[in-house]
Amino acid sequence: MLGISKRFGSVQANYLVNLSVTAGEVVGLLGENGAGKSTLMNILYGLHRPDAGAIFLDGVQIDVSSPAVARVYGIGMVHQHFMLVQNHTVAENIALALSDAPAWNPVPFARAKIEEFGGRYGLKIDPAARISDLSAGEQQRVELLKALMGGAKWLVLDEPTSVLTPREADELFILLKRMTGEGHGIIFISHKLDEVLAITDRVVVLRHGRPAGECRTKDADQASLARLMIGRQIDKPSITNLTVPGDPVLEVSGLSSAGSRGPLTVNGASLTVRGGEIVGIAGISGNGQRELLETIAGSRPASAGTIRLCGTDITCYDVRARTAAGLAFVPEDRLHTGTVPSFSLVENAILRDAHRELFSRHGFLDNAKARERSERLISEYEVAAPDSDTPLRTLSGGNIQKFLLGRELDAAPKLLLAAHPTYGVDIAAAAVIHRVILERKSAGAAILLVSEDLDELLALSDRIGVMFRGELRVMFPREKVTRERIGLLMGGAPATSEELRC
């Protein structure tokens, strides 16, 4: 890719960017949220047309006018936000991407391909599962299989480990090494600098859509890469635990929730979160963490058990009533559950509160107050956006996450449920998110945090639980557990009698 430039209205997303990758090489592409990484890769994959510049393959200029054309040239992409049809099954989604699938009844053909490639690359998935029922990690496997089965020689991976456990990430790296050994070229986008240093051969850094630097990975370290990305030193927020937990805010007892892929996705979970306390939940994607938060939030019905908020039984409350009682929820799927991508920031700022008298009078919205909130969130949470009228879908993932978190915290909730709050965000945005979470904790809020980033859980949590096959198995004080032990429990290792007494 030579001299690539792309503008969206007043925003210069890319300007004179060069990027190359050779067979058998892994190139890391780094930059803050909004630095232009995804735009550049969407141009490579045919989702956007460049305003200037050219793409060359084996020395010959090519015109990548669409993703279908990109696949013909052997270019595949696994997006940070998955490009899957939610109401279709895994096999149906795969069939849509296979050019050699029969036009009549392609599902059996796709199912056989899934089993073949899943076994070959260690990417097991149920072909009959509906995409909407899969966890984020499982959906990522579908995307990766789709690209590989489409014949991709040149593969773009956008935040591929954000929803993986350390063991799964290690398995992915083994797969990538195997692929590069077979002659694949890979562009690896990640905000996890340790992973970039471990897996890549070269690193290209963008800042504000422009080239900021390039280096051989062996000549770099985390500090030098961070300075290239941000242009300054990042000060991580203090995680010293000075808060003394108060009275119970959330009390969950014997909670179960039915799921479409089995009788129970949450099975008899019990936990307590006190004011001024962060309780972290670890687990491999698909083991019930998402369903646990959705059931507590009210977007999924409980089949058994009770949920109490500040002593009040809210098990039968709807979502609006739980919100009014002091519950805030940052869901796993920020684009399809937490926000409306086509709405402006002003409209998204009041999604959960549009019915309240603060923003609505006699059935009419108070646009001035809605705009005031939106502009305040943009300022307080350092959201990079041209203005409040910007459609939310045009923001980077990290800026969407900061805006969503700010909206949920704006009413000073008593309880915050946060699922993967730093998924796919850069180190500067993650520092902002961690800071505001710790500030809410210091102010007395109770926080239930689900994350597959074990370093994040160990840094922020006072206590950490592990979910496996729908059961909340153990709950440790942070100082009594290690990253390695949590990883083993996530994979199904039995808890010791001492751990069960924690």
Side-chain angles (χ1 to χ4, degrees):
M1 305 182 76
L2 296 178
I4 300 295
S5 296
K6 180 66 177 179
R7 177 183 289 273
F8 296 99
S10 62
V11 178
Q12 185 75 57
N14 292 135
Y15 184 71
L16 298 179
V17 178
N18 298 330
L19 177 68
S20 64
V21 59
T22 61
E25 183 183 36
V26 181
V27 176
L29 182 58
L30 297 182
E32 290 185 89
N33 292 117
K37 307 182 300 297
S38 293
T39 297
L40 186 67
M41 292 301 95
N42 285 338
I43 289 172
L44 177 62
Y45 193 55
L47 288 168
H48 296 320
R49 301 285 283 177
D51 299 330
I55 301 173
F56 294 84
L57 180 62
D58 296 327
V60 178
Q61 185 172 344
I62 60 175
D63 181 18
V64 186
S65 57
S66 70
V69 172
R71 290 193 290 270
V72 170
Y73 286 119
I75 301 169
M77 184 171 181
V78 177
H79 299 264
Q80 179 182 349
H81 301 299
F82 308 127
M83 303 293 188
L84 299 170
V85 182
Q86 294 291 310
N87 290 330
H88 286 187
T89 66
V90 172
E92 288 167 342
N93 272 271
I94 295 294
L96 290 171
L98 295 178
S99 59
D100 56 345
W104 178 257
N105 194 22
V107 171
F109 178 85
R111 187 180 298 119
K113 285 279 191 179
I114 291 167
E115 293 173 355
E116 174 191 346
F117 277 77
R120 176 180 172 185
Y121 291 106
L123 296 166
K124 297 292 187 181
I125 198 74
D126 179 7
R130 195 173 299 277
I131 295 296
S132 59
D133 296 331
L134 299 181
S135 67
E138 292 168 317
Q139 291 188 38
Q140 186 189 67
R141 288 178 224 164
V142 178
E143 286 280 29
L144 191 53
L145 277 171
K146 188 170 69 172
L148 292 171
M149 285 188 281
K153 179 182 179 182
W154 311 99
L155 188 61
V156 179
L157 301 178
D158 193 352
E159 300 291 346
T161 65
S162 292
V163 292
L164 302 183
T165 66
R167 180 176 178 179
E168 289 174 319
D170 290 341
E171 291 172 352
L172 175 64
F173 293 162
I174 293 171
L175 169 61
L176 297 184
K177 290 293 187 183
R178 185 192 314 161
M179 291 174 64
T180 54
E182 294 175 356
H184 289 79
I186 296 168
I187 299 174
F188 186 90
I189 303 174
S190 177
H191 293 113
K192 298 181 180 180
L193 300 184
D194 56 337
E195 294 181 351
V196 171
L197 292 169
I199 194 64
T200 64
D201 300 294
R202 281 189 298 119
V203 176
V204 175
V205 181
L206 300 182
R207 192 190 310 158
H208 306 307
R210 301 167 185 258
E214 180 176 340
C215 62
R216 303 293 301 181
T217 305
K218 62 182 179 63
D219 300 324
D221 57 24
Q222 290 197 32
S224 64
L225 292 179
R227 282 193 297 272
L228 279 175
M229 289 172 58
I230 312 299
R232 56 183 171 84
Q233 188 69 32
I234 297 299
D235 296 321
K236 294 186 177 181
S238 172
I239 58 172
T240 304
N241 185 8
L242 300 178
T243 305
V244 178
D247 295 331
V249 172
L250 174 67
E251 297 171 277
V252 174
S253 179
L255 187 66
S256 296
S257 178
S260 54
R261 289 200 294 156
L264 292 175
T265 51
V266 179
N267 187 3
S270 297
L271 64 96
T272 298
V273 188
R274 295 171 292 174
E277 181 182 41
I278 299 177
V279 171
I281 303 294
I284 297 172
S285 290
N287 277 271
Q289 310 94 289
R290 181 184 71 178
E291 291 83 359
L292 174 66
L293 291 197
E294 289 176 350
T295 306
I296 296 171
S299 56
R300 180 182 294 266
S303 57
T306 59
I307 305 166
R308 302 182 73 85
L309 181 59
C310 296
T312 300
D313 189 340
I314 63 168
T315 312
C316 296
Y317 283 20
D318 62 16
V319 173
R320 180 176 290 186
R322 296 183 197 212
T323 299
L327 185 151
F329 181 32
V330 177
E332 177 178 319
D333 187 350
R334 58 194 174 212
L335 277 182
H336 298 100
T337 304
T339 61
V340 179
S342 61
F343 281 13
S344 69
L345 296 183
V346 172
E347 292 165 323
N348 274 284
I350 60 168
L351 274 183
R352 56 173 268 165
D353 299 312
H355 64 284
R356 294 175 54 202
E357 188 173 329
L358 178 64
F359 298 106
S360 179
R361 193 70 66 92
H362 306 302
F364 292 94
L365 288 176
D366 188 329
N367 291 316
K369 288 186 177 178
R371 184 173 299 277
E372 179 186 346
R373 170 185 270 194
S374 175
E375 291 174 351
R376 179 163 45 79
L377 294 179
I378 290 172
S379 174
E380 290 182 4
Y381 292 88
E382 302 177 22
V383 178
D387 53 54
S388 290
D389 294 316
T390 302
L392 180 127
R393 68 171 179 269
T394 64
L395 270 59
S396 66
N399 285 302
I400 293 173
Q401 190 76 334
K402 288 188 289 184
F403 190 83
L404 172 58
L405 181 64
R407 184 193 71 197
E408 293 300 303
L409 291 178
D410 200 52
K414 302 170 184 174
L415 170 66
L416 172 66
L417 309 176
H420 313 290
T422 58
Y423 166 55
V425 307
D426 62 54
I427 54 176
V432 172
I433 290 169
H434 288 167
R435 172 176 57 79
V436 297
I437 287 175
L438 291 170
E439 287 173 352
R440 290 312 308 158
K441 172 191 172 180
S442 297
I447 299 168
L448 183 58
L449 171 68
V450 166
S451 178
E452 284 153 17
D453 184 338
L454 298 188
D455 294 328
E456 179 174 64
L457 287 176
L458 288 166
L460 297 179
S461 304
D462 298 286
R463 292 182 293 131
I464 301 174
V466 179
M467 287 198 76
F468 181 71
R469 294 180 179 174
E471 296 184 359
L472 186 56
R473 305 173 68 201
V474 286
M475 186 69 70
F476 300 96
R478 177 180 58 196
E479 63 274 11
K480 291 187 177 181
V481 69
T482 65
R483 188 177 190 274
E484 292 71 24
R485 185 57 187 159
I486 293 176
L488 289 173
L489 290 167
M490 289 167 63
T496 65
S497 57
E498 181 179 351
E499 289 171 340
L500 292 173
R501 288 196 296 269
C502 284

